[in-house]
Amino acid sequence: MYEVEVKVRADHDAVRDQLDELDAERVGAVVQEDTYYDAPHRDFAATDEALRIRRERPADGDAFEARVTYKGPLVDDASKTREEFETGVADGETMADVLDGLGFEPAATVRKERERYAVDGYVVTLDSVDGLGEFVEVETETDEAGVAAAREGAFDLLDRLGLDPDDGIRTSYLGLLLE
Amino acid sequence: MYEVEVKVRADHDAVRDQLDELDAERVGAVVQEDTYYDAPHRDFAATDEALRIRRERPADGDAFEARVTYKGPLVDDASKTREEFETGVADGETMADVLDGLGFEPAATVRKERERYAVDGYVVTLDSVDGLGEFVEVETETDEAGVAAAREGAFDLLDRLGLDPDDGIRTSYLGLLLE
């Protein structure tokens, strides 16, 4: 499975108006606290991999769920396409203990509120990131053969939202925070 | 949390008779399939650590649950005492993909049926291990200050089960299979 994702800085109020015109369906809103890890045997900044524990709760709730995620190196720079493996874990703190035991160390934490909309097979996410500001992500999943078409569709949707695909930011929130 | 555990080879039929005399409570029986991993940056055989994905189902059922476990180096050789972190994962196959992405490689798989009894604060487990035969484990959990007393109690219980604490096997099933 490949995740095709394009991200731009954008004022959320203006994008919400466009989403309304496109009859986008509001899926929900969540708060995410992501802890990213450094590896003991590789420089993830150099290999462009990531290992993360995500704690997530509904924006209007207080019960966190945890997941562990590995993101492989980028296979397509323009759209931030990469292979990703993610599964839920019963206890995020214990998962952190496992990684600590193996020699992985917490590198940084990213906290954001995410408001999600569904449009034409894509998920549009309005992100408010602590310390960084407002962003919009357009995202979908595809097999390897569908990557080019999925990226083209993401660019087209950004255009219909009044945003410029050429403004695409390939740097992760983690990367932006560390800059 | 420390796990105090003593393991001996033992004929299960004889031990079941002793468990009956001790009014042990049969807790249940499960099938476990454990995959152990090699690390890309450490020799776990040398550091005496372990990383494992366990898939477990009731002996009379077919729904597997998965957990990931890290075991730290032994802190007490006589009783196999070590620090251990374990949490459930929603999808064992995806957790395997995460470990594979990080460079951990499956080293061996251990399959066993485990029948558990509760006696005087200890868990007595009758293990039938594919390729190895029958074993009995006596086990409890304690904080660091309680390790010595917990070990003494485990030896006493083994004695009451007709088994000899001096027959204690410190090698893991994985280690025995690899011998």
Side-chain angles (χ1 to χ4, degrees), chain B residues 1-177:
Chain B
M1 189 276 292
Y2 288 81
E3 174 185 89
V4 172
E5 175 186 307
V6 187
K7 174 173 72 188
V8 298
R9 279 194 180 272
D11 177 73
H12 285 179
D13 285 341
V15 174
R16 279 198 192 89
D17 291 343
Q18 296 299 316
L19 285 167
D20 196 43
E21 290 199 10
L22 292 175
D23 285 331
E25 178 197 358
R26 189 175 184 282
V27 180
V30 298
V31 172
Q32 292 178 341
E33 292 178 14
D34 295 346
T35 301
Y36 288 88
Y37 285 83
D38 282 335
H41 60 305
R42 291 183 197 163
D43 179 358
F44 281 169
T47 60
D48 209 4
E49 299 167 273
L51 176 64
R52 177 184 75 196
I53 296 178
R54 167 167 289 175
R55 300 173 71 234
E56 178 173 313
R57 63 172 175 80
D60 57 359
D62 57 8
F64 274 97
E65 295 190 347
R67 284 176 278 169
V68 62
T69 306
Y70 166 77
K71 296 190 178 205
L74 291 182
V75 296
D76 179 79
D77 269 0
S79 66
K80 288 187 60 195
T81 304
R82 59 174 80 242
E83 207 168 17
E84 176 173 326
F85 300 110
E86 177 171 273
T87 182
V89 294
D91 187 301
E93 291 305 307
T94 303
M95 192 66 225
D97 288 336
V98 169
L99 294 181
D100 179 66
L102 293 171
F104 292 82
E105 294 189 353
T109 294
V110 180
R111 186 185 176 283
K112 60 183 175 296
E113 296 197 31
R114 318 197 82 179
E115 187 182 347
R116 289 200 185 90
Y117 293 82
V119 195
D120 299 342
Y122 287 83
V123 175
V124 176
T125 306
L126 278 52
D127 282 337
S128 301
V129 187
D130 283 16
L132 290 178
E134 295 186 347
F135 298 80
V136 169
E137 284 191 359
V138 171
E139 177 174 3
T140 193
E141 293 180 352
T142 181
D143 59 14
E144 192 168 3
V147 166
R151 188 177 57 217
E152 202 56 41
F155 289 170
D156 178 63
L157 179 52
L158 270 176
D159 189 59
R160 286 187 287 152
L161 291 172
L163 303 171
D164 186 346
D166 289 340
D167 292 339
I169 298 170
R170 282 145 48 183
T171 309
S172 66
Y173 295 133
L174 173 63
L176 294 174
L177 276 171

Side-chain angles (χ1 to χ4, degrees), chain A residues 64-119:
Chain A
F64 275 97
E65 295 189 347
R67 284 176 279 169
V68 62
T69 307
Y70 166 77
K71 297 190 179 206
L74 292 182
V75 295
D76 178 80
D77 269 359
S79 66
K80 290 187 57 194
T81 304
R82 62 172 80 243
E83 207 168 18
E84 178 175 323
F85 300 110
E86 178 172 273
T87 183
V89 293
D91 186 301
E93 291 305 306
T94 302
M95 191 68 225
D97 289 336
V98 169
L99 294 181
D100 179 65
L102 293 171
F104 292 81
E105 293 189 354
T109 295
V110 180
R111 187 186 176 283
K112 59 184 176 296
E113 297 197 31
R114 320 196 80 179
E115 187 183 348
R116 291 202 184 89
Y117 293 83
V119 195

